[in-house]
Amino acid sequence: MDSRPSYGYRRIAALLKRERRSAGHDPVNAKRVFRLMKKSGLLLARHTGRRVPRGP
């Protein structure tokens, strides 16, 4: 299993927005965060609601 935290773009955008607000800067745009994460290959797999079957 991967040891890195699996943060989606919404959580990253919220963390950046909170950090920038406390520093007195303008908040980030969530769509921009999504686009940058997609370009860098950092997005998680999309949730489809389907379960992966287990076992044989």
Side-chain angles (χ1 to χ4, degrees):
M1 181 130 186
D2 198 354
S3 62
R4 292 178 293 166
S6 56
Y7 284 4
Y9 83 94
R10 289 177 186 257
R11 189 181 301 182
I12 295 293
L15 291 171
L16 288 171
K17 196 176 287 191
R18 185 183 311 147
E19 187 175 311
R20 288 181 59 85
R21 186 177 292 141
S22 68
H25 295 91
D26 291 335
V28 296
N29 186 314
K31 290 180 181 180
R32 179 175 285 176
V33 172
F34 178 85
R35 189 177 66 243
L36 291 171
M37 287 181 68
K38 185 175 182 178
K39 186 176 180 181
S40 299
L42 298 173
L43 290 179
L44 300 175
R46 295 199 49 150
H47 176 72
T48 61
R50 296 185 181 168
R51 296 181 182 209
V52 178
R54 289 193 198 173

